[in-house]
Structure formats: structure tokens, C-alpha cells
Amino acid sequence: MTDRPILELRSVTRTFPGVVAMDDVSIAFRPGEVHAVIGENGAGKSTMMNVLAGELQPDAGAILVDGKKVGISDALASQMLGIRIVFQELSLCHNLTVGENVLLSTFADRPPLSILARNGAARAAAEPLAKLGLTDVATDTPVATLSVAQQQLVEIARAISQHVRILVLDEPNSALSPRESARLFEVIRTLKAQGVTIIYVSHHLEEVLALADRISVMRDGRLVRTIDNDPEVDVDLLVTHMVGRQVNAADQYALRPEAHNHLGEPVLDVRDLSVAGNIRHASFTLSQGEILGVAGLPDSGKDILADAIFGLAPRGGTIEIGGIRLPPGRPPHSIAAGISLIPADRRAAGALLSMTVAENAVSAALRRFTRHGFLRHRPIRDTAADYVGKLDARIASLGQKIATLSGGNQQKIILARGLVTGPRVLILHEPTRGIDVGAKAEIYSILKALAADGLAILMISSELPEIMLHSSRVIVMADQVIMGQLSGADITEEAIMALATRKEAVRAA
């Protein structure tokens, strides 16, 4: 590995109205290194990636590749320089197959009206998929039918299917199982050995320490420092650099609710819930003031549970809220009965990216803010401002586009939208996916306060610490069924994984 940078940012600045997203940032990336970039939400990481992708242009400064100043005017210009970026918010075409998505970026290099042999295309797409261990998914499978974890692997396969010199990975394993993550890390190390530069953007600091050669820390749009990864660097040191003060990384987990303390009456009653190919005969109840965690591996069925309850997925069985049965496939009935859903994918299913903070905050309850068919803008502003204050969302103004907010602040505005409807049951699917350590602690504190006020919360998550330390009770799914439930001191990683892998354990026996 040479010390001569393959990619440099020199004094790059990028501003938005009321916000300096990148402030005179200079950073160099070497060939054949894994260079982690960390920082809280709003630190400037996403802006840096968008500049490298050609989505944003710097207001000042320069970008150099192989020591030569370059302009990255658009995504194609970025790709021509050998830069490939896999964003956390996926950009797959759901109407195309897995193979078509993997090869999609190569079509730009082909002449118009050229013919691509199907068999050859399938073989070309299968190779990068196999590298990631995704051998159980056929290349002709529609992407829309895949789980979030599988889609994430397809996105990464698309990036490594092309000639890549600089690979930028944004929270690449946020939805992956431990086995899938381990396979991804093997691929990263292989690419590094081949001379590819990996820019690894992540909030999972343990992974950063396991993978990175160097670590750059950003805060408030500035580069704080770049450090070599050595045995003296630990999670607490990185967190201190990220937030600018001494912080114990375990502080974010000091919020666990006491199991079954002061719980009210059952609010949500799920009986014999079934979704074809995903869930079989699931039954459970959720009470006032309870945070019920749902854990399981990616193929367990847990990731369709929220949609099934809310009415977005066809289902059998019965769902009652406050004794009132909900008809299947009717989300408006669910909202009217008092259910709010915060989806896992902020970009595709959560935030209304072209709309403002205020519009996003009230969009699920517009009838409350209309008179004779016209929107009442003052109540909209007052309500949005109230929830922005309650949730401590950092925004420039209520008129700011939600797309310009950090992930943590986007999540707070989406949470505000759910709360504006006055729910009795709040369903959270991957509530802190892609959110930094500080914003996570804030979200957890908000959820604890909501539960203390009597709100019933169903939290579905792939992050075991999140499930273990913030749930009053936990149900664990495997092989499309609920394998068991845990409460109190029984909620441990070992107990959860024993239930989550029970099918494999039985087969092994």
C-alpha cells in the first residue's frame, strides 16, 4: 500500500440554507486501504458521499484523483473515475430482476439498441452475487420479492460487478445477519488485497475497529482528525472524538425499561396471524406502557410483521385493537383505530423527501388541518413546531426540505408524523437504522418516555443490543413462527440467538 493518495478532498466546502454541511474539509484516501469515516448524524458524511457521487457540487475546494484535479458533474462522471458508492438508502429498481439490477450500471457503457444475451447476462450477474454468498437467489428473481437484507447484498453486488478503484460503503450491513456480515467483510478484505480503496462509512464502531486501517472523524461539517487504527484506539475514544466530550459508549444503553412495571390493559391482540410464505400462526398481545421487542434472523418472518399488522400485506388471522377487529388490507382503518407505523426504509417508505419538515410532520393527519378542502397553514406550523421541540429535532426551519436533514433528524420527523395521529399503538421497524450513537440515545429516551405515558410500542429490530436493552419483553421469530418469548433477566443475547437459530439447531441434532 502506497502513501500517495488515490483520492483527495482539498478544502471542500458545501452549504445549504442555514447549514454548512462540509466546512473546509481536507482528507486523503490511499490505494488498497480500508478508510473508515465516522461521525454523528449531521457531521457531513452524507454530503461528502454525495459530492463524490456527483449528486452535489462543492461551493469551494477541489477533488483530486491520482493527484489530478477532477470535476464530478454527475453519477456517470463518478463511475468513469472508478468510484462506486453503495448508499444505505437503496436505489434498486423493484420492477427489474436481480440480474438486471446487478448489471444496470453497465448498460450506460453499451451502444444504443445493442443486444445483451440473457444467458451471458445471467452468468455475469451470478459471479458478484456468489462472492457475497447470495447463491440461493436466482438472477431472474424480481427484486421486489427480496428482503431488505437481500436487497442490500444485491446493491453491493452491483457495485463490485464493475471495474472499481474506490468503493464507498454507507452502513453496508445495517440489515445483514452476522453470517452475511462476515461474508461481506471477507469480500472487503479481498478487494483491499487487490488494491481497491474502501471508504467505510458506519455507526458500528466495533466493525470500524475490526476493519479499518485508518479512521477519519467528522463533527459539525468539519474533519476533526484522521488516526491510524492501533491497539490504543477503542470505541470510547472514537465516541469522544465524535461528540467532542468524554462519553462512555455504554451510556446509550442505560435506559432499559423494567419488565412489566405499571403496564396497563392489553391494547393490541394478534391471533393466528399468517402471511403466505412469511409468517405462520403468530399470536401475541401488547399492553399499555409496554415496549415489546421482536427479534429474529432476516428470513425469520419478523420483517413482514409490521406491514401485516398495519394492513400493507395480505394476511390471515385476527387483529384487534381495544377489542375492535381490524379488517385486513386497510391501513386507513388501522390509523383510525390508533396504530402508527414507522417503516424501516426512511427513503422509500418513510420520508416524503420533496416536502418540508412541517408537511412531513402532519401528513398522516391532514383532515385535522383542513377546512372546506383548504389546508390551515398556521395550525400545521404550530403542530409541527410543537413536535420538533418535543423530539429535539435539529432543523434550520420548518420549511426546510426533509431530504436535507441528517438520518437521525429525519427519523425524528417521521416519528413526529406517527405521533401527530394520536396513536394507542406505535410500531417501529428498525427504528435506529443508520443513526449515530448520540441520536440513538435520544430516540431510546423518547421511546421510554412515550411508554411511561402509556403508549404501547412494538419494536422490530435486527440490532440485538437495541432489543435486549430497550424491551420490556421480547418475542423471537424463526422459520416464520414465534419460537418463544423472554422477559426480565432472561433477555440475553444467548437466549435470543438460541431461539432465533432453533431450526438450525434441531436439524444439526
Side-chain angles (χ1 to χ4, degrees), residues 266-274 279 281-287 290 292-294 301-302 305-306 308-309 318-320 425 427 457-460 473-477 481-482 484-485:
V267 179
L268 179 66
D269 188 13
V270 177
R271 285 285 172 265
D272 202 32
L273 175 65
S274 295
I279 300 174
H281 310 298
S283 297
F284 61 90
T285 60
L286 174 64
S287 298
E290 181 178 28
L292 175 60
V294 182
K302 70 175 175 59
L305 186 63
I309 294 172
T318 62
I319 296 174
E320 294 185 356
V425 175
I427 303 175
I457 299 175
L458 182 67
M459 181 171 66
I460 305 164
R473 182 166 55 98
V474 174
I475 57 176
V476 184
M477 296 190 68
V481 302
I482 294 176
Q485 70 171 357

Short mmCIF file of all heavy atoms in Angstrom, two decimals, residues 266-274 279 281-287 290 292-294 301-302 305-306 308-309 318-320 425 427 457-460 473-477 481-482 484-485:
data_model
loop_
_atom_site.label_atom_id
_atom_site.label_comp_id
_atom_site.label_asym_id
_atom_site.label_seq_id
_atom_site.Cartn_x
_atom_site.Cartn_y
_atom_site.Cartn_z
N PRO A 266 -54.22 -4.77 28.02
CA PRO A 266 -53.81 -5.13 26.65
C PRO A 266 -54.50 -4.23 25.63
O PRO A 266 -55.71 -3.97 25.74
CB PRO A 266 -54.26 -6.59 26.52
CG PRO A 266 -54.31 -7.10 27.92
CD PRO A 266 -54.76 -5.92 28.76
N VAL A 267 -53.75 -3.76 24.67
CA VAL A 267 -54.29 -2.87 23.64
C VAL A 267 -54.36 -3.59 22.30
O VAL A 267 -55.38 -3.56 21.61
CB VAL A 267 -53.41 -1.60 23.50
CG1 VAL A 267 -53.98 -0.69 22.40
CG2 VAL A 267 -53.32 -0.85 24.81
N LEU A 268 -53.27 -4.25 21.92
CA LEU A 268 -53.19 -4.95 20.64
C LEU A 268 -53.24 -6.45 20.89
O LEU A 268 -52.47 -6.98 21.69
CB LEU A 268 -51.89 -4.58 19.92
CG LEU A 268 -51.64 -5.24 18.56
CD1 LEU A 268 -52.66 -4.76 17.52
CD2 LEU A 268 -50.22 -4.98 18.08
N ASP A 269 -54.14 -7.12 20.20
CA ASP A 269 -54.29 -8.57 20.33
C ASP A 269 -54.17 -9.20 18.94
O ASP A 269 -55.01 -8.97 18.07
CB ASP A 269 -55.65 -8.90 20.95
CG ASP A 269 -55.79 -10.38 21.29
OD1 ASP A 269 -54.77 -11.09 21.28
OD2 ASP A 269 -56.93 -10.81 21.55
N VAL A 270 -53.09 -9.94 18.73
CA VAL A 270 -52.82 -10.59 17.45
C VAL A 270 -53.05 -12.09 17.64
O VAL A 270 -52.45 -12.71 18.52
CB VAL A 270 -51.38 -10.32 16.98
CG1 VAL A 270 -51.08 -11.08 15.69
CG2 VAL A 270 -51.15 -8.83 16.79
N ARG A 271 -53.92 -12.66 16.80
CA ARG A 271 -54.25 -14.07 16.94
C ARG A 271 -54.14 -14.79 15.60
O ARG A 271 -54.78 -14.41 14.62
CB ARG A 271 -55.69 -14.24 17.48
CG ARG A 271 -55.83 -13.92 18.95
CD ARG A 271 -55.25 -15.04 19.83
NE ARG A 271 -55.22 -14.64 21.23
CZ ARG A 271 -54.16 -14.12 21.84
NH1 ARG A 271 -53.06 -13.92 21.16
NH2 ARG A 271 -54.20 -13.81 23.12
N ASP A 272 -53.29 -15.81 15.58
CA ASP A 272 -53.17 -16.71 14.42
C ASP A 272 -52.83 -15.94 13.14
O ASP A 272 -53.33 -16.25 12.05
CB ASP A 272 -54.46 -17.50 14.24
CG ASP A 272 -54.25 -18.79 13.44
OD1 ASP A 272 -53.16 -19.37 13.54
OD2 ASP A 272 -55.18 -19.20 12.73
N LEU A 273 -51.97 -14.93 13.25
CA LEU A 273 -51.59 -14.11 12.10
C LEU A 273 -50.74 -14.93 11.12
O LEU A 273 -49.76 -15.56 11.51
CB LEU A 273 -50.79 -12.89 12.57
CG LEU A 273 -50.21 -11.99 11.48
CD1 LEU A 273 -51.32 -11.31 10.70
CD2 LEU A 273 -49.27 -10.94 12.08
N SER A 274 -51.14 -14.91 9.87
CA SER A 274 -50.41 -15.65 8.84
C SER A 274 -50.27 -14.79 7.59
O SER A 274 -51.20 -14.10 7.19
CB SER A 274 -51.13 -16.95 8.48
OG SER A 274 -51.16 -17.84 9.58
N ILE A 279 -45.12 -15.66 7.45
CA ILE A 279 -45.50 -15.81 8.86
C ILE A 279 -46.55 -16.90 8.96
O ILE A 279 -47.49 -16.95 8.16
CB ILE A 279 -46.06 -14.50 9.44
CG1 ILE A 279 -45.03 -13.37 9.36
CG2 ILE A 279 -46.50 -14.69 10.89
CD1 ILE A 279 -45.57 -12.01 9.80
N HIS A 281 -49.18 -18.49 11.82
CA HIS A 281 -49.90 -18.66 13.08
C HIS A 281 -49.22 -17.94 14.26
O HIS A 281 -48.95 -18.53 15.30
CB HIS A 281 -50.06 -20.14 13.41
CG HIS A 281 -50.60 -20.95 12.27
ND1 HIS A 281 -51.84 -20.72 11.72
CD2 HIS A 281 -50.03 -21.96 11.54
CE1 HIS A 281 -52.04 -21.57 10.73
NE2 HIS A 281 -50.96 -22.33 10.59
N ALA A 282 -48.95 -16.65 14.07
CA ALA A 282 -48.33 -15.86 15.14
C ALA A 282 -49.41 -15.25 16.03
O ALA A 282 -50.38 -14.66 15.54
CB ALA A 282 -47.47 -14.75 14.53
N SER A 283 -49.22 -15.39 17.35
CA SER A 283 -50.17 -14.84 18.31
C SER A 283 -49.41 -14.17 19.45
O SER A 283 -48.44 -14.74 19.98
CB SER A 283 -51.07 -15.94 18.88
OG SER A 283 -51.86 -16.54 17.88
N PHE A 284 -49.83 -12.95 19.82
CA PHE A 284 -49.25 -12.25 20.97
C PHE A 284 -50.14 -11.07 21.32
O PHE A 284 -51.01 -10.67 20.54
CB PHE A 284 -47.82 -11.78 20.68
CG PHE A 284 -47.71 -10.80 19.55
CD1 PHE A 284 -47.80 -9.43 19.77
CD2 PHE A 284 -47.50 -11.24 18.24
CE1 PHE A 284 -47.70 -8.52 18.73
CE2 PHE A 284 -47.40 -10.35 17.19
CZ PHE A 284 -47.50 -8.99 17.44
N THR A 285 -49.92 -10.50 22.51
CA THR A 285 -50.62 -9.29 22.93
C THR A 285 -49.60 -8.21 23.27
O THR A 285 -48.43 -8.51 23.55
CB THR A 285 -51.51 -9.55 24.16
OG1 THR A 285 -50.69 -10.00 25.24
CG2 THR A 285 -52.59 -10.58 23.85
N LEU A 286 -50.07 -6.98 23.24
CA LEU A 286 -49.23 -5.82 23.58
C LEU A 286 -50.05 -4.92 24.49
O LEU A 286 -51.19 -4.57 24.18
CB LEU A 286 -48.82 -5.07 22.30
CG LEU A 286 -48.06 -3.76 22.46
CD1 LEU A 286 -46.71 -4.00 23.10
CD2 LEU A 286 -47.87 -3.10 21.08
N SER A 287 -49.45 -4.53 25.61
CA SER A 287 -50.17 -3.76 26.63
C SER A 287 -49.76 -2.30 26.66
O SER A 287 -48.69 -1.93 26.15
CB SER A 287 -49.94 -4.38 28.01
OG SER A 287 -50.42 -5.69 28.07
N GLU A 290 -45.97 -0.75 27.40
CA GLU A 290 -45.00 -1.82 27.15
C GLU A 290 -44.22 -1.55 25.88
O GLU A 290 -44.75 -1.04 24.90
CB GLU A 290 -45.74 -3.16 27.00
CG GLU A 290 -44.80 -4.34 26.77
CD GLU A 290 -45.53 -5.67 26.68
OE1 GLU A 290 -46.71 -5.68 26.28
OE2 GLU A 290 -44.90 -6.69 27.02
N LEU A 292 -42.50 -3.92 23.43
CA LEU A 292 -42.36 -5.32 23.07
C LEU A 292 -41.40 -5.43 21.90
O LEU A 292 -41.67 -4.92 20.81
CB LEU A 292 -43.72 -5.92 22.69
CG LEU A 292 -43.72 -7.36 22.18
CD1 LEU A 292 -43.15 -8.33 23.21
CD2 LEU A 292 -45.14 -7.78 21.77
N GLY A 293 -40.25 -6.05 22.11
CA GLY A 293 -39.26 -6.23 21.06
C GLY A 293 -39.52 -7.49 20.26
O GLY A 293 -39.97 -8.50 20.81
N VAL A 294 -39.23 -7.42 18.96
CA VAL A 294 -39.34 -8.59 18.08
C VAL A 294 -37.98 -8.81 17.44
O VAL A 294 -37.46 -7.94 16.75
CB VAL A 294 -40.41 -8.40 16.99
CG1 VAL A 294 -40.53 -9.65 16.14
CG2 VAL A 294 -41.76 -8.05 17.61
N GLY A 301 -39.26 -14.01 9.30
CA GLY A 301 -40.63 -13.54 9.19
C GLY A 301 -40.88 -12.24 9.91
O GLY A 301 -41.91 -11.59 9.71
N LYS A 302 -39.93 -11.81 10.75
CA LYS A 302 -40.14 -10.60 11.55
C LYS A 302 -40.28 -9.34 10.69
O LYS A 302 -40.98 -8.40 11.07
CB LYS A 302 -39.00 -10.41 12.55
CG LYS A 302 -37.67 -10.03 11.95
CD LYS A 302 -36.62 -9.75 13.01
CE LYS A 302 -35.26 -9.48 12.40
NZ LYS A 302 -35.22 -8.33 11.48
N LEU A 305 -43.83 -8.46 9.64
CA LEU A 305 -44.81 -8.39 10.72
C LEU A 305 -45.48 -7.02 10.80
O LEU A 305 -46.70 -6.92 10.93
CB LEU A 305 -44.13 -8.73 12.05
CG LEU A 305 -45.03 -8.84 13.28
CD1 LEU A 305 -46.03 -9.98 13.12
CD2 LEU A 305 -44.18 -9.06 14.53
N ALA A 306 -44.69 -5.96 10.71
CA ALA A 306 -45.24 -4.61 10.82
C ALA A 306 -46.25 -4.34 9.71
O ALA A 306 -47.35 -3.82 9.96
CB ALA A 306 -44.13 -3.58 10.78
N ALA A 308 -47.95 -6.49 7.97
CA ALA A 308 -49.14 -7.34 8.12
C ALA A 308 -50.11 -6.76 9.14
O ALA A 308 -51.33 -6.72 8.91
CB ALA A 308 -48.72 -8.75 8.54
N ILE A 309 -49.59 -6.29 10.27
CA ILE A 309 -50.46 -5.72 11.30
C ILE A 309 -51.10 -4.42 10.81
O ILE A 309 -52.29 -4.17 11.02
CB ILE A 309 -49.67 -5.49 12.60
CG1 ILE A 309 -49.22 -6.83 13.20
CG2 ILE A 309 -50.50 -4.70 13.61
CD1 ILE A 309 -48.27 -6.68 14.38
N THR A 318 -56.64 -12.82 13.01
CA THR A 318 -57.38 -11.66 13.51
C THR A 318 -56.46 -10.71 14.26
O THR A 318 -55.53 -11.13 14.95
CB THR A 318 -58.51 -12.10 14.46
OG1 THR A 318 -57.95 -12.76 15.61
CG2 THR A 318 -59.48 -13.03 13.76
N ILE A 319 -56.73 -9.43 14.09
CA ILE A 319 -56.01 -8.38 14.81
C ILE A 319 -57.05 -7.45 15.42
O ILE A 319 -57.92 -6.94 14.71
CB ILE A 319 -55.08 -7.59 13.87
CG1 ILE A 319 -53.99 -8.50 13.31
CG2 ILE A 319 -54.45 -6.40 14.59
CD1 ILE A 319 -53.12 -7.85 12.26
N GLU A 320 -56.96 -7.27 16.73
CA GLU A 320 -57.89 -6.39 17.44
C GLU A 320 -57.10 -5.32 18.19
O GLU A 320 -56.04 -5.60 18.75
CB GLU A 320 -58.74 -7.18 18.43
CG GLU A 320 -59.70 -8.16 17.77
CD GLU A 320 -60.61 -8.84 18.79
OE1 GLU A 320 -60.43 -8.59 20.00
OE2 GLU A 320 -61.49 -9.62 18.37
N VAL A 425 -51.07 2.52 19.64
CA VAL A 425 -50.02 1.54 19.36
C VAL A 425 -49.05 2.15 18.35
O VAL A 425 -49.47 2.63 17.30
CB VAL A 425 -50.59 0.23 18.79
CG1 VAL A 425 -49.47 -0.73 18.39
CG2 VAL A 425 -51.51 -0.44 19.81
N ILE A 427 -45.80 1.17 16.05
CA ILE A 427 -44.99 0.09 15.52
C ILE A 427 -43.74 0.69 14.89
O ILE A 427 -43.83 1.53 14.00
CB ILE A 427 -45.76 -0.73 14.46
CG1 ILE A 427 -47.06 -1.29 15.05
CG2 ILE A 427 -44.90 -1.87 13.93
CD1 ILE A 427 -47.93 -2.02 14.04
N ILE A 457 -45.80 0.06 22.49
CA ILE A 457 -44.79 0.15 21.43
C ILE A 457 -44.36 -1.25 21.01
O ILE A 457 -43.97 -2.07 21.86
CB ILE A 457 -43.57 0.96 21.90
CG1 ILE A 457 -43.99 2.40 22.24
CG2 ILE A 457 -42.48 0.96 20.83
CD1 ILE A 457 -42.88 3.24 22.83
N LEU A 458 -44.43 -1.52 19.72
CA LEU A 458 -43.92 -2.76 19.14
C LEU A 458 -42.66 -2.40 18.36
O LEU A 458 -42.72 -1.65 17.39
CB LEU A 458 -44.96 -3.40 18.21
CG LEU A 458 -44.58 -4.74 17.58
CD1 LEU A 458 -44.48 -5.83 18.65
CD2 LEU A 458 -45.59 -5.14 16.51
N MET A 459 -41.50 -2.91 18.79
CA MET A 459 -40.22 -2.54 18.19
C MET A 459 -39.59 -3.77 17.53
O MET A 459 -39.21 -4.73 18.19
CB MET A 459 -39.27 -1.99 19.26
CG MET A 459 -37.92 -1.56 18.72
SD MET A 459 -36.90 -0.69 19.93
CE MET A 459 -36.60 -2.00 21.13
N ILE A 460 -39.49 -3.72 16.20
CA ILE A 460 -38.92 -4.82 15.42
C ILE A 460 -37.53 -4.38 14.98
O ILE A 460 -37.38 -3.35 14.32
CB ILE A 460 -39.80 -5.13 14.19
CG1 ILE A 460 -41.23 -5.42 14.63
CG2 ILE A 460 -39.23 -6.29 13.40
CD1 ILE A 460 -42.24 -5.37 13.50
N ARG A 473 -40.29 -6.79 27.08
CA ARG A 473 -40.47 -8.21 26.79
C ARG A 473 -40.05 -8.42 25.34
O ARG A 473 -40.11 -7.50 24.52
CB ARG A 473 -41.96 -8.58 26.99
CG ARG A 473 -42.33 -10.03 26.77
CD ARG A 473 -43.75 -10.29 27.35
NE ARG A 473 -44.75 -9.40 26.82
CZ ARG A 473 -45.58 -9.70 25.81
NH1 ARG A 473 -45.53 -10.89 25.25
NH2 ARG A 473 -46.47 -8.83 25.40
N VAL A 474 -39.59 -9.65 25.00
CA VAL A 474 -39.09 -9.92 23.66
C VAL A 474 -39.73 -11.21 23.14
O VAL A 474 -39.79 -12.21 23.85
CB VAL A 474 -37.56 -10.09 23.65
CG1 VAL A 474 -37.07 -10.52 22.26
CG2 VAL A 474 -36.87 -8.79 24.06
N ILE A 475 -40.24 -11.15 21.89
CA ILE A 475 -40.62 -12.38 21.21
C ILE A 475 -39.61 -12.62 20.09
O ILE A 475 -39.13 -11.66 19.47
CB ILE A 475 -42.06 -12.34 20.65
CG1 ILE A 475 -42.27 -11.17 19.68
CG2 ILE A 475 -43.06 -12.26 21.78
CD1 ILE A 475 -43.66 -11.15 19.05
N VAL A 476 -39.27 -13.88 19.88
CA VAL A 476 -38.24 -14.24 18.91
C VAL A 476 -38.86 -15.12 17.83
O VAL A 476 -39.55 -16.10 18.13
CB VAL A 476 -37.07 -14.99 19.59
CG1 VAL A 476 -35.95 -15.27 18.57
CG2 VAL A 476 -36.52 -14.19 20.77
N MET A 477 -38.60 -14.75 16.57
CA MET A 477 -39.13 -15.50 15.44
C MET A 477 -38.03 -16.28 14.72
O MET A 477 -36.87 -15.85 14.67
CB MET A 477 -39.82 -14.56 14.44
CG MET A 477 -41.03 -13.85 15.00
SD MET A 477 -41.99 -12.97 13.73
CE MET A 477 -42.64 -14.35 12.78
N VAL A 481 -42.27 -18.57 12.38
CA VAL A 481 -43.14 -18.71 13.55
C VAL A 481 -42.48 -18.05 14.76
O VAL A 481 -41.28 -17.80 14.78
CB VAL A 481 -43.45 -20.19 13.88
CG1 VAL A 481 -44.11 -20.87 12.69
CG2 VAL A 481 -42.19 -20.93 14.29
N ILE A 482 -43.30 -17.78 15.79
CA ILE A 482 -42.76 -17.27 17.05
C ILE A 482 -42.24 -18.46 17.85
O ILE A 482 -43.00 -19.35 18.24
CB ILE A 482 -43.85 -16.51 17.84
CG1 ILE A 482 -44.25 -15.24 17.08
CG2 ILE A 482 -43.33 -16.15 19.23
CD1 ILE A 482 -45.38 -14.47 17.74
N GLY A 484 -40.59 -18.30 20.80
CA GLY A 484 -40.72 -18.15 22.25
C GLY A 484 -40.67 -16.69 22.64
O GLY A 484 -40.49 -15.80 21.79
N GLN A 485 -40.83 -16.43 23.93
CA GLN A 485 -40.75 -15.07 24.43
C GLN A 485 -39.87 -15.04 25.67
O GLN A 485 -39.74 -16.02 26.39
CB GLN A 485 -42.13 -14.49 24.72
CG GLN A 485 -42.85 -15.10 25.90
CD GLN A 485 -44.11 -14.31 26.25
OE1 GLN A 485 -44.40 -13.28 25.64
NE2 GLN A 485 -44.84 -14.77 27.23
#
